[in-house]
Amino acid sequence: MDRSVIALLYGPDQPGIVAKVAGWIHQHGGNVLHADQHLDRQENIFFQRVEWNPEASRDLRAESDAFADFATNDLGMKVRIALSEDRPKIALMVSKADHCFHDLVLRVKSGEWNAKISGVLSNHEGMRNSAEGYGLEYLFLPFSKGSKKEVEAKQLSWLQEQGVELVILARYMQVLSSDFLDRVGCPVINIHHSFLPSFAGAKPYHQAYQRGVKLIGATAHYVTVDLDEGPIIEQDVTRVSHRHGPKDLIEKGRDLEKLVLSRAVRRHLQNRVLDYGNKTVVFD
Amino acid sequence: MDRSVIALLYGPDQPGIVAKVAGWIHQHGGNVLHADQHLDRQENIFFQRVEWNPEASRDLRAESDAFADFATNDLGMKVRIALSEDRPKIALMVSKADHCFHDLVLRVKSGEWNAKISGVLSNHEGMRNSAEGYGLEYLFLPFSKGSKKEVEAKQLSWLQEQGVELVILARYMQVLSSDFLDRVGCPVINIHHSFLPSFAGAKPYHQAYQRGVKLIGATAHYVTVDLDEGPIIEQDVTRVSHRHGPKDLIEKGRDLEKLVLSRAVRRHLQNRVLDYGNKTVVFD
Amino acid sequence: MDRSVIALLYGPDQPGIVAKVAGWIHQHGGNVLHADQHLDRQENIFFQRVEWNPEASRDLRAESDAFADFATNDLGMKVRIALSEDRPKIALMVSKADHCFHDLVLRVKSGEWNAKISGVLSNHEGMRNSAEGYGLEYLFLPFSKGSKKEVEAKQLSWLQEQGVELVILARYMQVLSSDFLDRVGCPVINIHHSFLPSFAGAKPYHQAYQRGVKLIGATAHYVTVDLDEGPIIEQDVTRVSHRHGPKDLIEKGRDLEKLVLSRAVRRHLQNRVLDYGNKTVVFD
Amino acid sequence: MDRSVIALLYGPDQPGIVAKVAGWIHQHGGNVLHADQHLDRQENIFFQRVEWNPEASRDLRAESDAFADFATNDLGMKVRIALSEDRPKIALMVSKADHCFHDLVLRVKSGEWNAKISGVLSNHEGMRNSAEGYGLEYLFLPFSKGSKKEVEAKQLSWLQEQGVELVILARYMQVLSSDFLDRVGCPVINIHHSFLPSFAGAKPYHQAYQRGVKLIGATAHYVTVDLDEGPIIEQDVTRVSHRHGPKDLIEKGRDLEKLVLSRAVRRHLQNRVLDYGNKTVVFD
């Protein structure tokens, strides 16, 4: 694999940014592999993803620090940087449905993604055997009336001990408190089993059945304090008909949820996603 | 083409309906070409579409009347019947956007559908030349404050004079009153430029842009008094990204609207659509 | 779940078949749940899938035998019958790629399909641990020069001992001999990693890359002696661009292969697929 | 609309190209609106599409000439340049099927594309009235035995008189000779009614029906001397089943052909397509 640096930049547009970024890399002996940019003309915000091979002798971490300094101080941009050698740590949060759980774990185990799974947090015991069969730590923390604060505190302390860099809600059926989200310190990706904003909230497949829609969908998004309102990373749909009852929609939906969540996670891990306001820029 | 009768039946489920319908046709010397059925188990309603060739000597109209009598009186079902020789009369209602208008007219003119267009009703003058170029009558009835009742009365009387059997709202931007819908006496199909129930109401592409969705959609539905809530006949979506502003969504949406509306109208004209409650059964 | 009988019939078209089948079921106290039919007008072959609840007191096996007798002798049709209580035995044949293997096993284990897996046959050892971790027998039979006949004989005898009713080639990279196919005694479903008939044969993703196609596909089909020419059950595609090299196509293709193969197997297990000549009828 | 220059560059990769291009634009007072690049690592060819606003006082033509000189002489790249004010001249070549013809003309007339249609060439008279109704010149040149050379000479001289910059074969059913292609002097885009490379040659929908595929497709490509082998610009598919005979495939295919051809033409007109070898780079 290439030994490369990937930078995601964004900030107020200004003349010559593209030239300055490309110039900096060239002057430091680097070679641009990919560069993609976007300008939100309504907000006048500039976005860029640029990936480059630094000069052979150059330490990746040093290159990345120097570039971050340049982007922040000389360009006034926000910047996020990843290195080709990074293997971010993921935590999975699950409840009862296990299809996304297996799908994600098998992708990581097969080497499809450059990441490792720190463990699995659940409010149910059902996936313990599967998780441990995969060699993963399983932290079972059930909820009872009034225990939410305490459970979340334990989840947070575990996530921080592990140094988790991405939390994935793989059909986790508890709402995260705003306090949890303030303190988690890394992005949280959720899969919602509808084509948002249609059918937000509970039992979306039953809602879809009642409404008689001809397509059902799934939506992967970053979690924010506004339930089901976070920035959308990926969506897809599949066709249904009058022949499909709620159980059929649930079954068809499972395949959709796996695909949509895995695409969103892949792009996040490839450092292709920038969220701003309530939207995302996803560089393909 | 086959000389055939197409019946759409629905009503409370009961044992042996399929056998009775098939038996009636067989006893009268007919030959079933297609038969499709559906049972809504939650509501216990049975639906069937059956198409058959009557015996060669048999008059189509007589066969159809006899079957309607049997289905209503012996089976207690509601029934709608079409003959292969029918060419239903369509009225188009339009405002400013003309893409669906051209698409529908060209399909009828090319013989793709077995139908004829009685004329075009509009609250704007913009499509008069195109309509008249196609040899179609163009009835221009503008709205002014307080004129809705009067305009709708003229529309209704024109529709009834012509014997119109299907009204298509091809991006018609006025809401039809419940009084109009009570009196129109034939189905009305609308194309909504979003994936309902997302983004009902005005300016759906702008809403979609604001929400940052990754797919946009279009929905064809029968019009009921509940705006944007009528039974859905067909929906489809297309992929968009952060690169697409509202104008791009509108442009991409036009192709989607044409396709979705044309598929809904085709199935309606082929007598494949039954609506009940707030849903449709669409026999493929 | 319903206690039901599902019959797949086909044979030369004749007047009144639909009425006779529905009549037989009604006379024996059964209630039709679904009935779907198709007429290939070019070949004049009639196809039907009918599913019904027999009378409560009636033994499913007896009903099924009686119907088979009626369909064969009175109607002159070929017939295949399944009961809602059946759990067909599946064998998986695999080589090195394990994504379809995991996908299929997890679907069976989760109860998504009404089937059981008898075991896994492979010409490589790589999936032994995974298979045994799932509690499945793993039969490793490597090929060496001149050993094909002998290996296939062992495979066949294992399949017959187990009473296997469906063989799935889940990215099995050996060609089955015509002798094997003559003797296997049950259907064999394969997943080909291209949109057949494009890119038959080896390395289809590399062929697709060379040709510069904008969509790649996967095809599930029954295996016949004509390699990659068997009756197609299901196909699907996904979009690619100039940015995707052969490795990207392989990665994207994996998700497609899993989906397409699982849809084909689901429909086969639901007794929805009839193959005739080089085609299939798939009742949805 | 923006007053902008769009350059498409390609050539052997070399260090610092991105920086040099961005630097040149910045030094001349321009502001980059979009920049997209691609590196074919197997062939080591670099591709870029860059769009920028020149300094307000600067003449677009002068800017474009200066950039072309820089790209060719300083960078050693091949370059193609378009200006936002350009309205390329299109010729349509048609035979009997008129769906793509109407679709393309209506898009141009509605202002969806920044182009004008010089006229319509046909070997049949059937679309004369429609074309003239749209105000377009119609050049009818029928083929008879041995007349191909002569007809093509007339076509070429008409195309050159008009200064045509893009020829679209909108279901034109004659093969263009290699001599015609050598001399036409502008790109030629064709729509093939199959998912190439499947079903090249004649009657692709009949071939698809015979093979029993579950999806049919359409392919828009640049025309080269190798029939149906030119660089693919766009493809798409739609689902079919055993219920669809050749006539249904033809009807479903028409919608696909219109969409796929229009998307390819749109991207070509937006100067987003580079062809090299037997492939295209399509910048989205």
Side-chain angles (χ1 to χ4, degrees), chain A residues 36-38 195 198 209 211 213-215 229-230 232 234-235 237 239 242-243 278-280 282, chain B residues 36-38 195 198 209 211 213-215 229-230 232 234-235 237 239 242-243 278-280 282:
Chain A
D36 201 355
Q37 59 170 80
H38 173 61
F195 183 67
S198 291
Y209 175 76
R211 182 60 188 90
V213 290
K214 300 301 186 189
L215 299 168
E229 293 287 333
I232 294 170
E234 171 67 356
Q235 302 187 288
V237 297
R239 196 159 281 275
H242 60 272
R243 300 199 181 282
N278 199 36
K279 293 187 181 185
T280 60
V282 181
Chain B
D36 201 354
Q37 57 170 82
H38 173 61
F195 183 71
S198 291
Y209 175 75
R211 182 61 188 89
V213 291
K214 300 301 185 188
L215 299 168
E229 294 286 332
I232 294 170
E234 170 67 354
Q235 301 187 289
V237 297
R239 196 159 281 275
H242 59 270
R243 300 199 182 282
N278 199 38
K279 293 187 181 185
T280 59
V282 181

Side-chain angles (χ1 to χ4, degrees), chain C residues 36 198 209 214 243 279, chain D residues 36 198 209 235 243 279:
Chain C
D36 201 355
S198 291
Y209 175 75
K214 300 302 186 188
R243 299 198 182 284
K279 293 186 181 186
Chain D
D36 201 354
S198 291
Y209 175 75
Q235 301 187 289
R243 300 199 182 282
K279 293 186 179 186

Side-chain angles (χ1 to χ4, degrees), chain B residues 3-284:
Chain B
R3 192 178 150 275
S4 65
V5 178
I6 302 153
L8 280 171
L9 302 161
Y10 77 102
D13 191 31
Q14 53 188 270
I17 300 184
V18 174
K20 288 173 192 164
V21 168
W24 189 97
I25 294 167
H26 187 48
Q27 285 151 28
H28 288 73
N31 192 32
V32 173
L33 296 172
H34 299 288
D36 201 354
Q37 57 170 82
H38 173 61
L39 178 61
D40 182 326
R41 294 179 184 218
Q42 303 207 347
E43 309 282 344
N44 206 39
I45 305 176
F46 172 88
F47 301 85
Q48 190 175 36
R49 180 184 189 272
V50 57
E51 180 171 3
W52 72 96
N53 293 141
E55 196 182 51
S57 67
R58 181 103 165 157
D59 174 71
L60 281 188
R61 187 61 59 193
E63 176 89 349
S64 133
D65 290 347
F67 184 84
D69 184 59
F70 158 74
T72 310
N73 297 325
D74 294 17
L75 301 181
M77 308 291 280
K78 291 196 179 149
V79 65
R80 200 166 80 215
I81 299 189
L83 308 181
S84 55
E85 66 194 25
D86 290 345
R87 287 186 68 215
K89 291 177 193 162
I90 296 174
L92 304 182
M93 296 180 73
V94 301
S95 291
K96 289 183 170 172
D98 65 357
H99 51 287
C100 288
F101 161 78
H102 285 293
D103 185 73
L104 295 168
V105 174
L106 287 167
R107 287 176 195 272
V108 172
K109 284 177 71 80
S110 72
E112 183 177 316
W113 295 338
N114 215 15
K116 63 181 161 233
I117 298 177
S118 297
V120 182
L121 309 189
S122 184
N123 56 330
H124 291 279
E125 273 287 42
M127 274 174 256
R128 176 179 293 281
N129 284 348
S130 297
E132 293 179 353
Y134 288 127
L136 297 173
E137 183 178 343
Y138 192 83
L139 189 65
F140 166 56
L141 295 167
F143 288 88
S144 55
K145 207 167 153 40
S147 74
K148 181 157 194 147
K149 212 174 174 119
E150 190 189 344
V151 169
E152 286 197 344
K154 287 184 189 160
Q155 292 172 332
L156 283 168
S157 91
W158 185 89
L159 292 169
Q160 273 139 22
E161 269 165 39
Q162 299 291 329
V164 165
E165 296 158 273
L166 173 67
V167 173
I168 304 175
L169 308 187
R171 298 296 313 273
Y172 180 67
M173 303 309 278
Q174 295 285 326
V175 176
L176 301 177
S177 72
S178 64
D179 185 55
F180 182 99
L181 291 170
D182 284 346
R183 293 168 56 201
V184 66
C186 71
V188 180
I189 295 178
N190 182 45
I191 180 73
H192 186 79
H193 40 320
S194 87
F195 183 71
L196 289 173
S198 291
F199 314 129
K203 294 208 167 244
Y205 293 124
H206 290 79
Q207 294 182 57
Y209 175 75
Q210 288 306 328
R211 182 61 188 89
V213 291
K214 300 301 185 188
L215 299 168
I216 55 167
T219 303
H221 63 94
Y222 289 118
V223 177
T224 61
V225 291
D226 300 309
L227 189 65
D228 300 334
E229 294 286 332
I232 294 170
I233 308 169
E234 170 67 354
Q235 301 187 289
D236 212 343
V237 297
T238 198
R239 196 159 281 275
V240 296
S241 79
H242 59 270
R243 300 199 182 282
H244 300 104
K247 277 182 60 176
D248 302 304
L249 301 193
I250 289 167
E251 184 178 319
K252 278 178 157 270
R254 279 198 296 257
D255 284 343
L256 208 51
E257 294 160 26
K258 286 188 288 188
L259 267 184
V260 169
L261 179 57
S262 71
R263 287 188 204 142
V265 171
R266 174 183 294 117
R267 285 170 183 166
H268 177 89
L269 292 174
Q270 292 171 336
N271 222 24
R272 293 184 179 279
V273 191
L274 266 167
D275 62 300
Y276 72 112
N278 199 38
K279 293 187 181 185
T280 59
V281 168
V282 181
F283 291 113
D284 274 321

Side-chain angles (χ1 to χ4, degrees), chain C residues 13 23 30 33 79 97 110 112 122 129 160 228 275:
Chain C
D13 192 32
L33 296 171
V79 65
S110 72
E112 185 177 316
S122 183
N129 283 348
Q160 274 140 23
D228 300 333
D275 60 301

Side-chain angles (χ1 to χ4, degrees), chain C residues 18-32:
Chain C
V18 174
K20 287 174 193 164
V21 169
W24 188 95
I25 293 167
H26 187 47
Q27 285 152 28
H28 288 74
N31 192 30
V32 173

